[in-house]
């Protein structure tokens, strides 16, 4: 994959170690992980519960500190930085999508997106225009004034994606984005994330247990017991790869 | 940010109602207790304050105005030796017994004043004339206490310390701070009721000549008379208030009740704001993960607390002012001066914002990684 070296690495992780606790009670969540995430790539992090995927994505997102090693976000080292510096890196570079959506129930779809835009420094009419445009982009132009309680799971996740896209971050980190969704909604969400990677040149990392979405991946990384145990490229025929049985939804871009 | 705070606040109507009920309860309770304190404080000294005297001369070491001990009126002439004194009048101010027409006894505060000079005279006379007190045994009472004193109209007769007394007029709004209503009469009549000798008085009240500093006149008179104490108006009313408010413990009780009202408010508001924060902790965590600073989150929480305080205060103070207005028709006045109303506003806001500190502490400790935990 020589072309990959010319593509900018959005995230570069080297020998990352994370240990919770100390001495006899220490839990070694990550035991020397090396990982690159490139622009324009949709990468899946898979593994059993407790394998270290969430710890890894939390460190890559600049919201958890590592015990040792290196984690560069678009070239900038994040290990050892203070909370304020990490906060700025998150604000400037990363959009988050969560399994539980984490939308403000008191705010409409538009207002939920506006909160993220407000954090990025947008105000007034410009903020409203951008929020509307982002929701249009995820197919919710008709639901601008709907509250989360009035939206389906898939629609809520699309609002969360629109919110994650506020300020056009170069990296999207998604934690189990389809876990709480039916097949149809899950497909819509993965289509959107794939489009972000391929057409908008974003680096998209998806933590998942959902084998229905494996066909969307440009790369699948399996983590077992705090170590990367397997790296699979789709052209290697991952659909039939051992231990990674996939079932449904075909990616739109692959059709 | 303000929109987020506002929407969060109004989204859960039940929680908002609980919060507001807590604040309103606290504001009403504190206002009324403090209003009672002010009303009580004024009632203890209004008669002294409105007497228009600059100085009081009392026997040595009295603790309060009702504690007067008779002394010779020769002091009056000694005081008159000062060219800076405009006039001096004798006064009696003492608790005594009142026998109602039906024969039942009750206590009253008898105020005997010099009719010619008028220092210590009643104000707000609604029936009768001040000159009517020149009649032997004539008294004037406060109409709020008609029932208590068993009197319904002018001309009725009662007994004071076994002496016949006739009601010749009524005042309006001169309240008692004890169970003994004020009864006004001439100094001469009061002397007779108490059986004092012709040359005895309980107090002398002094009016200084225009431009004379009461403090310096006090010093001068005090140097002229060694066996009495001389007080300025401020000292005398303060002595009276301090005795009844703090010496007897009555004021402390009211203050403690007001403090408890505020404490209840702080606890209720802190609890509800904290509970609301915990309910939204995942969203706050999400904001933090997205890059929101702690300061941003503080502003959301403090704005919510401020708005709660504003609404709670407006409703609570409206209720308190209504209760205060109604109380002025009765014998126990709840007085809410402008300073108290404004002070309570700031106290309420401080209470609400202070209560939100507990929530701020919670938000500060949010681990943004929590948002990844499904």
């Amino acid at each position: 994959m020589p072309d990959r070296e010319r593509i900018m690495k959005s995230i570069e992780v080297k020998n990352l170690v994370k240990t919770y606790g100390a001495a006899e009670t220490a839990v070694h969540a990550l035991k020397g992980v090396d990982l690159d995430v490139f622009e324009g790539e949709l990468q899946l992090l898979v593994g059993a519960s407790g394998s270290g995927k969430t710890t890894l994505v939390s460190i890559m997102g600049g919201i958890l500190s590592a015990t040792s090693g290196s984690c560069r976000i678009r070239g900038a080292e994040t290990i050892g930085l203070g909370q304020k510096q990490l906060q700025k890196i998150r604000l400037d570079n990363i959009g988050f999508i969560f399994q539980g959506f984490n939308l403000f129930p008191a705010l409409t779809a538009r207002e939920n997106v506006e909160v993220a835009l407000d954090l990025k420094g947008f105000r007034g009419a410009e903020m409203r225009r951008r929020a509307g445009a982002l929701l249009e982009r995820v197919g919710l132009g008709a639901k601008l004034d709907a509250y989360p309680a009035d939206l389906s799971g898939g629609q809520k996740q699309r609002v969360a994606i629109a919110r994650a896209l506020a300020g056009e971050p170069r990296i999207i980190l998604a934690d189990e984005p389809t876990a709480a969704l039916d097949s149809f909604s899950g497909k819509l969400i993965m289509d959107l994330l794939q489009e972000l990677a391929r057409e908008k040149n974003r680096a998209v990392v998806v933590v998942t247990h959902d084998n229905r979405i494996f066909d969307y991946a440009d790369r699948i990384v399996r983590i077992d017991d705090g170590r990367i145990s397997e790296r699979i490229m789709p052209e290697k025929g991952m659909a039939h790869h051992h231990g990674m049985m996939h079932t449904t939804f075909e990616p739109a871009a692959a059709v | 940010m303000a929109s987020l705070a506002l929407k969060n606040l109004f989204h859960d109507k039940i929680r908002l109602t609980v919060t507001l009920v807590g604040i309103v309860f606290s504001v009403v309770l504190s206002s009324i207790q403090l209003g009672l304190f002010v009303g009580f404080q004024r009632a203890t000294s209004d008669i002294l304050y409105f007497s228009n005297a600059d100085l009081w001369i009392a026997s040595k070491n009295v603790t309060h105005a009702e504690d007067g001990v008779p002394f010779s009126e020769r002091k009056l002439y000694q005081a008159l030796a000062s060219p800076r004194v405009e006039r001096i009048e004798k006064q009696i101010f003492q608790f005594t017994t009142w026998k109602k027409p039906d024969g039942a006894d009750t206590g009253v505060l008898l105020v005997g004043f010099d009719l010619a000079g008028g220092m210590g005279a009643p104000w707000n006379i609604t029936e009768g004339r001040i000159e009517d007190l020149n009649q032997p045994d004539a008294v004037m009472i406060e109409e709020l206490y008609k029932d208590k004193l068993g009197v319904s109209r002018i001309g009725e007769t009662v007994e004071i310390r076994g002496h016949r007394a006739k009601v010749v007029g009524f005042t309006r709004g001169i309240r008692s701070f004890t169970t003994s209503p004020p009864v006004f009469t001439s100094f001469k009549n009061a002397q007779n009721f108490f059986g004092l000798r012709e040359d005895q008085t309980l107090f002398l009240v002094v009016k200084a000549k225009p431009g004379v500093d009461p403090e310096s006149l006090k010093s001068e008179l005090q140097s002229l008379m060694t066996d009495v104490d001389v007080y300025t108006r401020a000292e005398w009313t303060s002595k009276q208030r301090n005795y009844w408010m703090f010496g007897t413990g009555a004021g402390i009780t009211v203050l403690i009740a007001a403090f408890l009202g505020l404490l209840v408010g702080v606890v209720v508001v802190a609890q509800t704001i904290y509970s609301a924060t915990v309910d939204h902790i995942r969203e706050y965590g999400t904001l933090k993960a997205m890059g929101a600073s702690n300061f941003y989150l503080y502003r959301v929480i403090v704005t919510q607390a401020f708005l709660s305080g504003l609404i709670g205060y407006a409703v609570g103070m409206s209720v308190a002012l209504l209760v205060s207005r109604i109380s002025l028709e009765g014998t126990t006045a709840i007085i809410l001066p402008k300073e108290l109303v404004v002070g309570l506003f700031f106290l309420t806001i401080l209470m609400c914002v202070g209560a939100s500190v507990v929530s701020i502490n919670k938000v500060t400790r949010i681990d943004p990684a929590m948002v990844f935990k499904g």
Side-chain angles (χ1 to χ4, degrees):
Chain A
M1 191 55 57
D3 284 350
R4 284 220 183 271
E5 300 309 318
R6 291 200 295 273
I7 301 171
M8 185 177 172
K9 285 178 187 172
S10 289
I11 304 173
E12 191 176 6
V13 171
K14 283 196 190 308
N15 196 27
L16 199 65
V17 173
K18 176 65 182 179
T19 303
Y20 294 104
E24 289 175 5
T25 58
V27 175
H28 304 287
L30 296 177
K31 301 169 181 171
V33 170
D34 293 310
L35 181 74
D36 292 332
V37 182
F38 295 89
E39 282 186 345
E41 179 185 64
L42 194 158
Q43 187 169 138
L44 299 187
L45 285 183
V46 300
S49 293
S51 59
K53 339 183 267 302
T54 300
T55 299
L56 177 59
V57 85
S58 297
I59 295 171
M60 290 198 298
I63 57 179
L64 187 67
S65 59
T67 305
S68 63
S70 166
C71 178
R72 291 179 174 274
I73 304 287
R74 307 192 73 228
E77 179 61 71
T78 62
I79 305 302
L81 293 183
Q83 281 304 313
K84 285 200 167 178
Q85 292 158 302
L86 288 173
Q87 174 205 326
K88 178 151 175 48
I89 284 177
R90 293 199 296 271
L91 195 61
D92 292 344
N93 299 287
I94 302 170
F96 291 97
I97 299 165
F98 310 100
Q99 178 182 348
F101 320 126
N102 298 2
L103 301 177
F104 275 87
L107 304 183
T108 63
R110 186 206 289 268
E111 289 163 344
N112 265 287
V113 179
E114 284 177 353
V115 168
L117 288 163
D118 182 46
L119 287 175
K120 313 263 183 188
F122 294 99
R123 299 285 184 272
E126 175 63 8
M127 181 172 74
R128 285 182 66 78
R129 188 192 65 72
R130 281 180 178 259
L134 286 167
L135 286 164
E136 287 280 356
R137 190 151 98 180
V138 297
L140 287 178
K143 296 282 186 182
L144 298 181
D145 297 320
Y147 285 91
D150 302 323
L151 298 174
S152 68
Q155 288 171 327
K156 285 179 197 169
Q157 198 57 293
R158 280 190 277 161
V159 175
I161 292 175
R163 181 178 64 183
L165 295 177
E168 305 293 340
R170 302 302 306 173
I171 300 166
I172 304 289
L173 298 180
D175 181 45
E176 302 278 7
T178 59
L181 305 179
D182 58 37
S183 296
F184 177 74
S185 301
K187 181 178 183 311
L188 282 177
I189 296 305
M190 288 313 299
D191 286 345
L192 267 169
L193 292 177
Q194 190 175 61
E195 180 193 324
L196 283 171
R198 294 196 178 162
E199 294 174 27
K200 304 293 179 188
N201 205 34
R202 302 289 194 271
V204 180
V205 178
V206 177
V207 174
T208 187
H209 279 103
D210 189 351
N211 56 10
R212 297 172 303 179
I213 68 174
F214 288 175
D215 279 344
Y216 284 89
D218 296 308
R219 185 159 39 161
I220 300 175
V221 173
R222 173 181 283 281
I223 303 180
D224 283 313
D225 194 24
R227 290 193 175 88
I228 291 179
S229 59
E230 205 170 10
R231 297 170 202 265
I232 305 153
M233 309 302 284
E235 52 270 33
K236 291 180 182 172
M238 58 74 51
H240 301 291
H241 196 275
H242 64 278
M244 291 189 180
M245 295 298 291
H246 82 298
T247 51
T248 53
F249 33 104
E250 294 186 3
V255 174
Chain B
M1 186 282 300
S3 163
L4 175 63
L6 201 67
K7 295 237 172 185
N8 259 353
L9 189 64
F10 285 96
H11 179 66
D12 188 342
K13 303 279 192 302
I14 294 173
R15 184 181 301 285
L16 177 64
T17 305
V18 170
T19 307
L20 291 182
V21 165
I23 299 170
V24 167
F25 175 75
S26 170
V27 170
V28 170
L29 189 60
S30 309
S31 307
I32 288 179
Q33 290 298 337
L34 289 170
L36 276 171
F37 182 83
V38 173
F40 186 50
Q41 198 184 40
R42 286 196 183 171
T44 60
S45 58
D46 265 1
I47 295 172
L48 307 177
Y49 187 81
F50 289 114
S51 69
N52 202 29
D54 293 318
L55 300 174
W56 271 259
I57 299 171
S59 51
K60 273 281 184 195
N61 301 322
V62 297
T63 57
H64 56 287
E66 294 81 1
D67 187 36
V69 176
F71 60 88
S72 169
E73 69 174 21
R74 273 181 303 178
K75 299 291 174 197
L76 184 150
Y77 303 107
Q78 283 178 295
L80 276 175
S82 167
R84 300 195 297 165
V85 169
E86 182 169 290
R87 63 179 196 276
I88 300 183
E89 297 165 14
K90 293 177 283 184
Q91 197 177 81
I92 288 172
F93 197 85
Q94 188 61 272
F95 288 124
T96 187
T97 55
W98 169 285
K99 190 183 283 290
K100 294 193 269 189
D102 65 5
D105 281 339
T106 188
V108 293
L109 174 64
L110 192 71
V111 182
F113 66 97
D114 186 332
L115 274 170
M119 286 191 279
W123 61 98
N124 286 348
I125 295 170
T126 54
E127 277 185 76
R129 297 169 306 151
I130 197 84
E131 308 86 70
D132 295 337
L133 290 175
N134 273 318
Q135 300 167 40
D137 308 328
V139 295
M140 199 170 266
I141 67 169
E142 166 58 42
E143 65 180 21
L144 290 171
Y145 302 104
K146 276 180 174 176
D147 287 346
K148 182 175 174 58
L149 299 177
V151 173
S152 57
R153 63 183 188 279
I154 286 176
E156 288 189 88
T157 57
V158 294
E159 277 185 24
I160 296 176
R161 276 175 64 99
H163 295 267
R164 176 186 172 277
K166 187 173 80 172
V167 176
V168 296
F170 294 104
T171 62
R172 174 77 181 160
I174 305 178
R175 289 180 177 79
S176 167
F177 55 96
T178 64
T179 54
S180 303
V183 172
F184 293 88
T185 189
S186 66
F187 177 79
K188 183 73 188 158
N189 286 337
Q191 222 174 15
N192 289 336
F193 289 137
F194 281 108
L196 295 180
R197 291 201 318 260
E198 283 271 330
D199 66 340
Q200 280 187 317
T201 182
L202 290 188
F203 300 101
L204 292 173
V205 287
V206 180
K207 188 72 186 164
K209 281 190 172 162
V212 171
D213 173 30
E215 279 289 346
S216 69
L217 182 57
K218 173 198 159 184
S219 303
E220 183 187 344
L221 294 184
Q222 191 69 77
S223 66
L224 290 173
M225 300 172 286
T226 53
D227 49 352
V228 290
D229 286 326
V230 185
Y231 302 93
T232 62
R233 186 197 321 222
E235 287 169 345
W236 189 233
T237 53
S238 164
K239 190 178 183 70
Q240 173 78 342
R241 285 176 178 178
N242 286 341
Y243 174 80
W244 286 106
M245 301 308 293
F246 304 110
T248 65
I252 291 287
T253 308
V254 178
L255 274 183
I256 288 173
F259 172 74
L260 285 178
L262 282 175
L263 195 65
V264 166
V266 170
V267 171
V268 170
V269 174
Q271 199 277 330
T272 50
I273 290 178
Y274 180 78
S275 165
T277 306
V278 169
D279 278 358
H280 290 294
I281 205 78
R282 181 167 285 274
E283 288 100 74
Y284 290 128
T286 305
L287 283 173
K288 212 164 168 178
M290 285 158 54
S293 62
N294 279 336
F295 182 66
Y296 184 93
L297 302 181
Y298 299 162
R299 280 191 299 158
V300 172
I301 291 168
V302 168
T303 304
Q304 284 179 57
F306 176 80
L307 290 171
S308 303
L310 203 62
I311 300 167
Y313 172 82
V315 176
M317 189 48 78
S318 302
V319 173
L321 287 170
L322 187 67
V323 172
S324 166
R325 176 169 286 224
I326 292 168
S327 79
L328 296 181
E329 303 298 316
T331 55
T332 306
I334 297 165
I335 297 172
L336 296 173
K338 209 180 294 173
E339 299 80 6
L340 184 63
V341 172
V342 173
L344 271 172
F345 169 76
F346 288 109
L347 202 61
T348 306
I349 297 299
L350 190 69
M351 170 182 90
C352 292
V353 172
S356 71
V357 167
V358 184
S359 302
I360 284 175
N361 195 33
K362 178 83 181 170
V363 166
T364 305
R365 291 159 188 252
I366 291 178
D367 174 5
M370 69 172 286
V371 293
F372 284 121
K373 293 165 189 159

